[in-house]
Amino acid sequence: MKHKFLLRVLGVFSTLALLIVALPLSPVSAAASITLYPNSGPAGSLVNFSIATTATNGTTAWILFNGVQLTSATVSGGSASGSFTVPTTVTRGTYTVSTLGLGSETSATFTVTPSITLASATGYVGDSVAVTGSGFAPSTTVNFYLSGSTTAFAHLNSSSTGTVSGTITIPPAKQGVLSITANDSGTPGTAPVNFTINPKITLSTDNPGVGDSITVTGSGFYEGIIQISVDSGTAANAGVSVGSNGSFSTTFTIPALTRGIHTLTANDAWNKSAQATFDIAQKISVTPTSGTVGTSITVKGSGFNTTGSVTLTYFGQSVTVALTSGTFTTTFVIPGVQAGVYTLSATDGSVIATTTLTVTTNITMSPTNNASTPGSVGQEITLTGSGLKANDTVLVTFDSAQLTITPSPIVDSNGGFSLIFKIPTTTAGPHTITVISGTTSKTFTFFVEGTAPATPAPLTPEMGLKAKQPVVFDWEDVTDPSGVTYVLEIATDENFATILYQIKDLTDSTYTMTEAQKLESVSSDSPYWWRVKAVDGAGNASAYTGAGSFTVGFSLDLPAWATYVLIGIGGLLLLALGFWLGRRNADY
């Protein structure tokens, strides 16, 4: 038994010895680590890697990005190194970069950040610049900012893979380098990309005439006063300062220049400048651009020969106008023509310029008045017209009633007419006069005076006297611009409660009673009473005269033949009486 135990112990130690001897002969796992530089960046960026490993020389180490094999490196002297490109399709986030093939694998992390690239690195305010980007959150809004600003100036939408592509408009800014970043609301945003702003000016027209005012608009300048010059001439202070965003706008009057291309330069206080060209071509303009016959028109021209003259043609006539430094100014009056658009031209023999002038219709009334200075019935009115269609008739209405004018007015061959009429009998106050010719009409307001005429002074019959038949009434004349008629009343009482006769529209200041109006004889105890008033053509009436009384005595009205017979008989009786008296005296 003892020998068996010893044999067992010896067997255990032998086995342990063999294991100890055999242990160094078994393979040992290789240790490894990987370092990335940089360990963050945009999709598509280049990343360097370095691997430390105990793997044997010649071992191939494969590099996987997020499980996708990208590249490989060979172990030499306990290390391997190389580089790989971050896939462009990955979005913002942290990804694993791992090894394969070393036996003992290792890994590190890489953080994908968004990035943008501009197609152009320099330009002007308002430029549309193409932009591409990657590494953004998928299908979201990407905002663009100027460095230091929290207000986005542009927006683009990312794709499902986090890329962006589009254009952004460069916002107002002073001259210099802009730093532009983009963010999809995540952290961090993109690294800034630079865009250099250059100064720029634009003109409201590239074809102005001499003396025209043009608007000069600038952007991308430094702050300070702007000066403007043309063709390297003396700079003129434009009287405007650049704003905090590098922009300005001012007006500039084009000086006397010859025909051709000229350069306008704008300089800021830091001598930063921009230029724009404009072309002085032959050009004429009229002021005003429309008018009626008789309107004075000013014609200006520029861009012609430096010296000499131009031939200006308008309404069928031509005049010669002298040139000064390629410019001219002259005036004329629109002649009698029909309404329409007419062409004016000017030529210096080598070039010609044209413009148009619109002639409009016009109808005038003379005199005109108002409520403070009214006119009168019967007043003579003159109406004139121009620019109308030849041979059209002219109608005149007064308060919608057509007036008869002789001869009937007709528009002449030059489009004009002139007529005279008198204000008809009407009431005091405003009245409408309308003139119609073809499709043209014009309305005027005429005010008729409302002042009553003076009260007539009574003459005969005198107060309290007996009047002879037929009774003759007489009073002083009254005058009025609207003309005067009279109203005579005869009554049996002083208050004119019982009026025997009211005689209107008397044009003379006297009236003789007719046979039919014969008054009966009355005594002084119950006389007749009379009064008169004046009424003008506008219906304005004076006060009545004071009531005057008169009586009418007995009268025998006989036919003429009977009167002659009585006269004859009376004569015979007188002869007989004389004869008798003579005889009687003779007897004594």
Side-chain angles (χ1 to χ4, degrees):
M1 292 296 291
K2 185 176 181 180
H3 292 291
K4 289 182 179 180
F5 174 77
L6 291 173
L7 289 172
R8 289 175 181 170
V9 171
L10 182 60
V12 169
F13 277 103
S14 297
T15 301
L16 290 173
L18 289 172
L19 289 173
I20 291 173
V21 173
L23 184 61
L25 300 177
S26 298
V28 177
S29 296
S33 64
I34 186 170
T35 301
L36 304 179
Y37 182 80
N39 59 7
S40 66
S45 60
L46 185 68
V47 179
N48 296 311
F49 65 87
S50 176
I51 303 173
T53 181
T54 58
T56 59
N57 291 340
T59 301
T60 298
W62 295 96
I63 305 300
L64 287 70
F65 188 95
N66 203 33
V68 177
Q69 182 177 308
L70 296 182
T71 188
S72 63
T74 301
V75 176
S76 176
S79 66
S81 61
S83 63
F84 64 87
T85 301
V86 177
T88 58
T89 56
V90 294
T91 59
R92 172 198 293 277
T94 300
Y95 296 85
T96 299
V97 178
S98 58
T99 62
L100 180 66
L102 296 178
S104 177
E105 308 305 336
T106 185
S107 66
T109 60
F110 184 87
T111 301
V112 173
T113 59
S115 68
I116 55 172
T117 301
L118 301 181
S120 175
T122 184
Y124 306 100
V125 169
D127 281 358
S128 291
V129 178
V131 60
T132 55
S134 63
F136 293 97
S139 304
T140 190
T141 299
V142 178
N143 300 309
F144 292 81
Y145 303 86
L146 295 181
S147 293
S149 174
T150 58
T151 302
F153 70 86
H155 313 274
L156 291 175
N157 293 322
S158 65
S159 68
S160 59
T161 58
T163 62
V164 293
S165 180
T167 59
I168 58 174
T169 300
I170 302 301
K174 289 187 287 187
Q175 195 274 342
V177 178
L178 299 182
S179 292
I180 299 175
T181 61
N183 202 325
D184 55 8
S185 299
T187 302
T190 66
V193 293
N194 292 334
F195 185 89
T196 301
I197 293 287
N198 295 315
K200 177 184 178 182
I201 59 172
T202 58
L203 307 180
S204 56
T205 176
D206 58 3
N207 187 225
V210 172
D212 287 353
S213 290
I214 63 173
T215 300
V216 183
T217 302
S219 62
F221 287 86
Y222 284 126
E223 293 181 83
I225 301 296
I226 286 293
Q227 291 187 321
I228 290 178
S229 61
V230 175
D231 294 342
S232 301
T234 302
N237 190 326
V240 65
S241 297
V242 176
S244 59
N245 62 359
S247 301
F248 74 89
S249 180
T250 187
T251 58
F252 179 76
T253 300
I254 300 298
L257 298 170
T258 56
R259 181 168 61 248
I261 302 296
H262 299 270
T263 301
L264 185 147
T265 302
N267 279 278
D268 63 17
W270 298 84
N271 204 31
K272 298 298 181 180
S273 64
Q275 295 180 331
T277 60
F278 58 91
D279 185 6
I280 295 290
Q282 65 274 14
K283 179 180 180 180
I284 61 172
S285 62
V286 292
T287 305
T289 56
S290 66
T292 60
V293 171
T295 300
S296 180
I297 302 297
T298 299
V299 186
K300 291 185 177 182
S302 61
F304 293 93
N305 291 334
T306 305
T307 60
S309 63
V310 294
T311 300
L312 178 65
T313 303
Y314 55 88
F315 299 107
Q317 57 182 315
S318 297
V319 296
T320 299
V321 184
L323 287 167
T324 302
S325 299
T327 69
F328 73 87
T329 299
T330 188
T331 60
F332 69 88
V333 173
I334 297 178
V337 293
Q338 299 181 45
V341 179
Y342 293 84
T343 298
L344 288 71
S345 65
T347 179
D348 60 6
S350 58
V351 295
I352 186 171
T354 62
T355 190
T356 58
L357 173 64
T358 301
V359 178
T360 58
T361 59
N362 186 39
I363 298 175
T364 61
M365 182 178 79
S366 178
T368 57
N369 63 23
N370 52 47
S372 300
T373 57
S376 59
V377 170
Q379 183 172 350
E380 200 170 74
I381 302 297
T382 300
L383 294 171
T384 57
S386 64
L388 303 167
K389 183 179 178 181
N391 300 319
D392 272 357
T393 58
V394 181
L395 300 178
V396 181
T397 63
F398 188 89
D399 289 342
S400 300
Q402 183 175 337
L403 299 180
T404 300
I405 300 174
T406 304
S408 298
I410 300 293
V411 178
D412 63 28
S413 59
N414 292 324
F417 75 85
S418 180
L419 61 88
I420 297 175
F421 73 96
K422 292 184 178 180
I423 298 297
T425 299
T426 186
T427 57
H431 298 271
T432 299
I433 298 172
T434 301
V435 187
I436 304 171
S437 178
T439 59
T440 301
S441 67
K442 190 168 183 179
T443 298
F444 304 91
T445 299
F446 186 89
F447 291 83
V448 174
E449 53 87 18
T451 303
T455 301
L459 297 176
T460 60
E462 297 180 21
M463 186 72 173
L465 296 182
K466 181 183 290 187
K468 293 181 180 181
Q469 297 275 26
V471 180
V472 177
F473 299 89
D474 194 14
W475 54 90
E476 292 284 355
D477 288 337
V478 172
T479 59
D480 189 275
S482 294
V484 171
T485 60
Y486 303 95
V487 178
L488 172 65
E489 290 186 344
I490 304 167
T492 59
D493 61 285
E494 186 176 5
N495 296 323
F496 286 79
T498 303
I499 297 176
L500 297 178
Y501 297 105
Q502 185 183 64
I503 306 165
K504 299 180 178 181
D505 300 324
L506 297 174
T507 56
D508 294 327
S509 60
T510 183
Y511 182 74
T512 300
M513 301 285 285
T514 66
E515 181 67 24
Q517 297 169 332
K518 184 177 179 180
L519 298 173
E520 297 179 359
S521 299
V522 293
S523 66
S524 59
D525 294 333
S526 56
Y528 292 108
W529 297 85
W530 75 284
R531 63 183 182 181
V532 67
K533 68 177 179 179
V535 181
D536 68 14
N540 305 304
S542 72
Y544 276 104
T545 60
S549 64
F550 67 95
T551 60
V552 175
F554 173 78
S555 63
L556 180 63
D557 293 330
L558 295 174
W561 65 267
T563 301
Y564 294 135
V565 171
L566 289 176
I567 292 173
I569 292 173
L572 291 174
L573 287 176
L574 289 174
L575 287 173
L577 178 60
F579 180 78
W580 178 76
L581 289 174
R583 288 289 305 273
R584 186 174 180 183
N585 290 333
D587 291 341
Y588 290 101

